[in-house]
Amino acid sequence: MGPPISALPAPAGVEPPTTPAGPRRRGRLLAVLATVLLIVVAGVGVVVARPGPVAGWLGEDDASTQVAAGATPEPDPSEVLAGPDANAPLPTPDGVKAALGPLVGAAALGDRVNVSVADVTSGQTLFAKGADDGTVPASVTKLATGVTVLAARGPGYRIPTRAVAGDKPGEVVLVGGGDPTLAVDKKGYYPGAARLDDLVAQVRTALGGTAPTSVTVDGTIYSGPVYGPGWDADIPTGGYGGAVTALMADGARRDPGADPGGAERVTEPDLAAGRSFAKLLGVPAGTVKRGTAPALAAAAGGTPPPGTELGTVQSPPLIRLVDIMISESDNLLAEALARQVALARSQPASFDGAAAAMDAEVAALGLPADEITLSDGSGLSRSNRISPSLLTDLIRLAASPDHPELAGVFGGLPVGGWSGTLDDRYRGAPGTAAGAGAVRAKTGTLTGVHAIAGLVTTADGRLLTFAVLTDKVPGGTDTAQPALDRIAAALAGCGCR
């Protein structure tokens, strides 16, 4: 998993805004945002340049400490996909309309196709069709989740999982902080994840001669239902969703070695993680129960008093978690990140609290919060509504040199014909080949719903942002996805002037 894209300084002559823009209706665009995004493909993934503070967010402030003595540093990756030219000719609205007009009316997309296309450097709107209309976004929702959690928590924030002493001698309380990437051991699903076996080693040291006797799991930082409103009936059992709890291991997967996507999930992730923890401690699984960590008590005797912290492990930084969420379209990770927005804004860490907090964060960023209505953070809910123009505004804002903390949303964007959910697209379908390597976007799919939003480089090297949302598709993915892909491919294949 490569580090995220970072926006480079604005081109000469482009003045960034000096004060935050307030909420506004369409037509009063944000101040000019400027960026040059450089994507480098190396090995098996997308690796990008990371100037500025990104290394610090990854815990790499001192590069000299990152290379073992005598080891040869890895060379800089070579550029494969050329960066866009900030001075490339700007497409005209008429040119874009001529290229997209016949495609947005394709019968395979149904009769509700809402589109927004804008230039990243100038912010000029180049094409709009139902651009301000709230539309079911499916997994494109994750772009809003990524931007809002990076804004609310910061790219370097890590989610803790703690162990504290319980009320009874030998009782260990495992306190979930909302890290779904937590692993049992080194065979965990997520790279670089915090591990329960590391936490157990800390607990044994802290307990000294006291033998652990039982495990209590505390997931009370979350509240409300574990399944989202508006989810299809098969989501809890279909492998793409599952119970959302503050404590889980390997994204609640029964088998952390399973392929990404529709992996079988445990029905009670908190208890399953607690049993794995108990096994590592040498405590019978039958002792595992739900409860609440006690408040810190006064010391008594030689044993740690109730509430004493026995150990802590921390997730990878949010900038990494956002990468994974977007590249793999990881729904449970998305719900966890949405709850981090809620916690940062002192809202309940529930579906309702997270949705309200994300809406508030969008408004705080100076974007029109009346164009986003959420019920979850993953996009599994059919109750979600986002306008295409809000998505293109979010992308432009994340690309702004004034908001380097938001640039992490780009690192996991799939590349057309290359990676993630776009790996097998922009290849064989007629009219889509121009998008291979030029389209970098998040996709969204539910039955009858197909969406895509991201970045595309034109044939002249101009960087555009686009969003296409359809939620009344009459057929299946075999006809809808190629029709959707032809829209972005048309932008990639023309100068549109």
Side-chain angles (χ1 to χ4, degrees):
M1 190 67 58
I5 288 176
S6 183
L8 299 181
V14 177
E15 293 294 331
T18 57
T19 58
R24 53 96 179 94
R25 289 301 308 157
R26 201 59 54 193
R28 292 168 56 205
L29 293 176
L30 291 172
V32 172
L33 304 176
T35 185
V36 178
L37 301 178
L38 174 62
I39 289 188
V40 179
V41 177
V44 296
V46 179
V47 182
V48 296
R50 47 177 197 184
V54 179
W57 294 333
L58 297 171
E60 300 171 6
D61 294 299
D62 183 357
S64 66
T65 65
Q66 303 304 310
V67 180
T72 302
E74 292 185 10
D76 291 335
S78 59
E79 182 178 321
V80 177
L81 298 180
D85 180 2
N87 297 313
L90 175 67
T92 65
D94 286 344
V96 175
K97 181 178 180 180
L100 301 190
L103 300 176
V104 299
L109 294 178
D111 59 4
R112 192 169 136 87
V113 184
N114 296 330
V115 186
S116 175
V117 180
D119 179 59
V120 169
T121 301
S122 69
Q124 180 180 350
T125 297
L126 299 174
F127 186 87
K129 177 182 180 293
D132 298 342
D133 295 345
T135 316
V136 181
S139 276
V140 169
T141 302
K142 293 182 177 72
L143 289 174
T145 303
V147 168
T148 55
V149 75
L150 289 168
R153 280 296 201 201
Y157 182 81
R158 296 172 185 263
I159 304 171
T161 301
R162 301 186 302 122
V164 303
D167 286 319
K168 301 175 182 178
E171 179 188 9
V172 180
V173 184
L174 183 60
V175 184
D179 175 15
T181 69
L182 180 69
V184 176
D185 52 31
K186 64 181 180 181
K187 297 179 182 178
Y189 177 81
Y190 297 95
R195 289 164 40 180
L196 287 176
D197 57 354
D198 289 338
L199 186 57
V200 163
Q202 295 179 43
V203 169
R204 290 190 183 282
T205 299
L207 287 177
T210 302
T213 57
S214 65
V215 169
T216 298
V217 296
D218 181 352
T220 54
I221 195 172
Y222 283 7
S223 59
V226 297
Y227 300 117
W231 285 11
D232 290 349
D234 63 341
I235 287 175
T237 59
Y240 289 93
V244 180
T245 58
L247 177 64
M248 65 175 66
D250 297 306
R253 290 168 174 81
R254 288 191 183 276
D255 177 9
D259 290 336
E264 185 180 1
R265 316 282 173 153
V266 297
T267 56
E268 296 180 306
D270 54 344
L271 291 177
R275 293 184 188 108
S276 295
F277 184 69
K279 182 178 180 180
L280 292 168
L281 272 177
V283 172
T287 70
V288 177
K289 66 182 189 302
R290 294 188 179 100
T292 304
L296 182 61
T303 62
T308 300
E309 185 170 290
L310 304 176
T312 302
V313 291
Q314 295 186 323
S315 74
L318 285 187
I319 199 169
R320 293 288 199 193
L321 301 186
V322 170
D323 270 2
I324 298 169
M325 173 190 66
I326 291 177
S327 65
E328 295 193 9
S329 201
D330 191 312
N331 293 311
L332 289 181
L333 180 50
E335 298 301 345
L337 295 181
R339 278 163 171 74
Q340 290 300 316
V341 183
L343 292 169
R345 297 190 69 88
S346 300
Q347 295 290 321
S350 62
F351 282 104
D352 289 345
M358 289 171 65
D359 285 357
E361 198 66 43
V362 167
L365 288 169
L367 300 178
D370 56 348
E371 293 185 15
I372 181 170
T373 303
L374 298 178
S375 293
D376 70 11
S378 63
L380 291 173
S381 177
R382 292 181 179 272
S383 301
N384 291 344
R385 297 291 185 275
I386 304 180
S387 74
S389 55
L390 178 61
L391 287 166
T392 52
D393 280 354
L394 277 171
I395 293 166
R396 288 175 46 233
L397 188 67
S400 166
D402 290 328
H403 287 279
E405 76 281 5
L406 304 183
V409 76
F410 297 115
L413 280 181
V415 179
W418 183 273
S419 64
T421 54
L422 292 182
D423 177 61
D424 58 354
R425 293 168 64 168
Y426 298 98
R427 289 187 176 186
T432 67
V439 173
R440 307 136 198 177
K442 182 72 195 76
T443 60
T445 305
L446 294 168
T447 302
V449 176
H450 291 272
I452 188 169
L455 298 163
V456 59
T457 306
T458 71
D460 289 335
R462 192 79 183 194
L463 186 66
L464 308 180
T465 176
F466 71 98
V468 186
L469 277 62
T470 65
D471 58 12
K472 291 187 178 179
V473 176
T477 58
D478 55 337
T479 56
Q481 284 184 352
L484 201 66
D485 293 346
R486 289 184 189 104
I487 296 173
L491 293 171
C494 78
C496 297
R497 288 180 285 142

